[in-house]
Amino acid sequence: MRTVAVVGASLAGLSAARSLRRQGFDGRLVIVGDEIHRPYDRPPLSKEFLAGTMAEADLALEADGEDLAAEWLLGVRATGLDRNERLVRLADGTAVRADGFVIATGAAARTLPGSEGLAGVHTLRTLDDALALRADLARGGRLVVIGGGFIGAEVASTAYALGLDVTVVEVAPTPLAGPLGEAMGGVVSSLHADHGVRLLCGVAVAGLSGESGRVDAVLLADGRSLPADTVVVGVGARPNVEWLEGSGIALENGVTCGADGRTSLAAVVAVGDCANWYDPLAGAHRRVEHWTGALERPASAVAALLSGGAAEPGPVRPPYFWSDQYGVRIQFAGHAAVADSVTVEEGAADDRSFLAVYRRAGEPVAVLGMDQPRLFMRWRKQLAQPAASTASVAPAAVRS
Amino acid sequence: MKIPVCRLADLPRGEAYRLEIDPPVSVFHTDDGEVFAIDDTCTHQDASLADGWLEGCEVECPLHASKFDLRTGSVDSPPAKLPVRTHQVVVEDGMIYVEPSQAVPNLPPCVGARLAGGLA
Ligand SMILES: Cc1cc2nc3c(=O)[nH]c(=O)nc-3n(C[C@H](O)[C@H](O)[C@H](O)COP(=O)(O)OP(=O)(O)OC[C@H]3O[C@@H](n4cnc5c(N)ncnc54)[C@H](O)[C@@H]3O)c2cc1C
Ligand code: FES
């Protein structure tokens, strides 16, 4: 393999580039990214950076002096992948020919139809989004967050600390029920009420109202109207894979991948938020939108790319993420959806400091910690042990 | 300056002790019986390395899995970019003491800002 092109210059793309070099690839390495920025870290965008306690320079993912001997093509979008010509087409009319490809185009924030063009309405995915939101939060006043997921909850918590009057609207009866299950979703989202932040559940947003181009209220399906100076739409993300349509690569909820990141096309792997990897522990494809997956999985994908699929996929680690809300550190690993029970093993939910273990047929399948980093770490390591995982192992990946 | 930490007998192998000085220091007793002291706060963000995972002479941060070498403080695995300080450890009459390093600590940006009383 003489040339590898990495498309997407963020956490997963950078991790893939590092893995390529670490695993001995010494050929030409081209990294394409549509943002003009060098790779930067997104989690602080809803936390420390939004709060103003972290500077832009501190978001950099690369270490000082780190040199991957790569050609960086930044500020240019990839528009297509040509499997026959083996090249990535770029929006400026040029193309990059390569022998191997790493797709790492991540995800984009979902928007609310009809919110386009109204000032004061934000999504949060990029540095530029965070700068714009920070400027609006500095005006103070009333913030309505649409969506009680992690990013919405973190923005609510940061805005609360900045002194804004905050309301969170969630269409589901319980926020975070998907990733954490009903019971624990309820516990974690009670942090809002603990701090006097209003949480309205089970009600849909019907629309936004605004005068002279700036939002002034969020209209709910039950007829209520919530006055707002600023609105954040935190309704999830969709994988950035439109540019791959027509390329012949299998797409379903992102790029369909095996357990080692290989796609339906030879010498093309996909990593990070855009990639729907087969997860043998869950027995299903899972598009994991977590930082740690984007950091760690590229090593396996690059091994598969360089070996043509002959490399043993690395050990499957249960997906892990963290969130910081209202000064409480939330950590989760595993799959809540497959559990049939969840029990608090240490501490108490009411104290917002506890460790809960999710089990299926008595076997631990997931663990949640609130302000329990030490215990959580031990449980997370234990979950990653083969003994714990065999309980839920399913047949090997079926690749399309 | 020598600061008493705890009795060696009270710190089992594989465990860590957080010494609440400013900035805090964590003391590790490895499975091989060695004792090391490094800054407790990860250089990446605000996490306590005493809560981390000790393996050999390396500790893995409990938050984003940066790994630090206990002997040198260097980063073995990102996202951390800067090393932690190491501190001299002495064991006398079964008691562990730490001699804090005089070097400037590499505190993470958010913690540095908080200690300086700025920004937040
Ligand atoms: C505000 C916020 C807070 C978060 N907090 C947490 C947290 O606390 N814990 C956690 O585990 N995770 C968190 N995450 C998720 C985490 O940041 C993501 O999982 C991670 O960024 C995924 O990395 P990635 O490289 O796959 O994708 P991305 O970071 O989305 O990067 C993809 C890159 O590819 C570029 N790109 C897209 N299309 C093209 C194209 N056609 N051509 C060229 N370039 C393209 C994009 O512009 C982008 O730069 C958070 C995310 C956000 C937005
Ligand atoms: S806080 Fe230690 S790795 Fe991020």
Side-chain angles (χ1 to χ4, degrees):
Chain A
M1 209 166 270
R2 289 217 295 268
T3 303
V4 174
V6 175
V7 187
S10 181
L11 181 61
L14 174 67
S15 301
R18 285 174 172 161
S19 292
L20 279 160
R21 291 305 188 210
R22 203 175 303 128
Q23 294 178 28
F25 172 71
D26 58 3
R28 180 172 175 234
L29 175 55
V30 183
I31 304 174
V32 180
D34 66 352
E35 293 184 84
I36 52 163
H37 309 288
R38 298 292 293 200
Y40 62 88
D41 207 18
R42 290 179 210 277
L45 299 182
S46 50
K47 310 177 185 77
E48 300 89 344
F49 183 77
L50 192 61
T53 55
M54 193 180 200
E56 190 174 322
D58 294 321
L59 297 174
L61 286 171
E62 295 163 282
D64 280 346
E66 179 172 359
D67 182 7
L68 293 167
E71 292 165 44
W72 294 81
L73 303 180
L74 297 179
V76 58
R77 171 175 291 267
T79 52
L81 177 70
D82 188 325
R83 62 197 286 194
N84 299 318
E85 299 288 327
R86 301 219 62 83
L87 46 82
V88 175
R89 296 188 195 286
L90 306 183
D92 62 4
T94 63
V96 177
R97 192 180 298 275
D99 311 299
F101 299 86
V102 178
I103 297 169
T105 43
R110 283 208 174 83
T111 53
L112 201 64
S115 63
E116 303 85 4
L118 260 190
V121 182
H122 300 261
T123 54
L124 181 54
R125 181 78 199 178
T126 66
L127 174 56
D128 300 350
D129 293 342
L131 288 168
L133 176 59
R134 200 161 80 172
D136 261 0
L137 294 183
R139 301 157 59 115
R142 289 156 303 190
L143 171 72
V144 175
V145 179
I146 301 173
F150 285 107
I151 291 183
E154 289 177 1
V155 169
S157 142
T158 302
Y160 157 81
L162 291 172
L164 279 84
D165 176 67
V166 185
T167 305
V168 179
V169 185
E170 166 63 47
V171 67
T174 312
L176 305 172
L180 302 181
E182 285 285 332
M184 291 301 143
V187 171
V188 170
S189 54
S190 57
L191 286 171
H192 295 299
D194 291 354
H195 294 83
V197 166
R198 276 178 304 279
L199 171 65
L200 309 179
C201 291
V203 56
V205 167
L208 303 174
S209 79
E211 246 171 61
S212 52
R214 191 174 173 93
V215 72
D216 60 22
V218 173
L219 310 173
L220 302 183
D222 62 10
R224 275 181 290 177
S225 165
L226 306 172
D229 300 294
T230 303
V231 171
V232 171
V233 180
V235 294
R238 48 168 188 79
N240 287 323
V241 293
E242 296 88 346
W243 69 280
L244 290 166
E245 274 160 23
S247 67
I249 200 168
L251 298 175
E252 198 191 340
N253 182 24
V255 182
T256 308
C257 295
D260 57 1
R262 283 190 297 154
T263 67
S264 63
L265 299 184
V268 181
V269 297
V271 290
D273 283 15
C274 70
N276 193 9
W277 280 42
Y278 181 80
D279 182 337
L281 294 187
H285 282 81
R286 287 280 159 83
R287 191 170 64 83
V288 174
E289 290 184 332
H290 304 327
W291 188 94
T292 305
L295 179 82
E296 292 178 344
R297 284 180 163 182
S300 311
V302 160
L305 179 70
L306 293 178
S307 69
E312 270 293 305
V316 185
R317 305 228 218 155
Y320 161 67
F321 63 84
W322 77 96
S323 175
D324 293 318
Q325 299 171 28
Y326 303 100
V328 176
R329 178 149 289 160
I330 300 151
Q331 294 175 288
F332 182 88
H335 297 288
V338 301
D340 54 33
S341 74
V342 52
T343 46
V344 171
E345 308 260 318
E346 192 70 44
D350 283 347
D351 298 339
R352 312 292 184 241
S353 170
F354 68 91
L355 187 106
V357 179
Y358 297 67
R359 291 190 171 79
R360 181 166 78 177
E363 285 289 331
V365 290
V367 55
L368 167 71
M370 274 178 100
D371 268 348
Q372 290 284 352
R374 186 180 290 219
L375 260 185
F376 179 86
M377 180 104 207
R378 278 150 184 71
W379 271 96
R380 183 182 158 204
K381 289 281 177 185
Q382 198 175 316
L383 265 191
Q385 296 297 316
S389 54
T390 44
S392 50
V393 163
V398 185
R399 302 235 337 278
S400 47
Chain B
M1 187 182 44
K2 235 168 51 176
I3 302 176
V5 179
C6 64
R7 300 201 62 77
L8 184 60
D10 292 339
L11 184 62
R13 291 184 183 200
E15 293 291 324
Y17 181 93
R18 177 164 52 238
L19 184 62
E20 301 289 353
I21 56 177
D22 186 19
V25 164
S26 49
V27 180
F28 295 90
H29 193 177
T30 68
D31 288 328
D32 292 337
E34 287 184 286
V35 181
F36 295 101
I38 59 173
D39 276 343
D40 180 58
T41 311
C42 183
T43 61
H44 178 236
Q45 280 166 25
D46 191 4
S48 160
L49 294 174
D51 291 337
W53 185 258
L54 179 61
E55 198 150 342
C57 277
E58 201 176 59
V59 63
E60 176 182 332
C61 174
L63 197 50
H64 314 124
S66 284
K67 289 182 184 161
F68 297 94
D69 189 315
L70 297 178
R71 294 163 297 196
T72 61
S74 64
V75 179
D76 288 349
S77 180
K81 293 177 260 181
L82 297 173
V84 283
R85 291 186 308 177
T86 56
H87 307 277
Q88 192 101 41
V89 174
V90 242
V91 181
E92 272 172 22
D93 301 329
M95 189 73 192
I96 305 173
Y97 297 88
V98 163
E99 270 184 59
S101 155
Q102 296 305 310
V104 179
N106 289 320
L107 294 175
C110 38
V111 173
R114 200 176 59 213
L115 291 184
L119 287 163

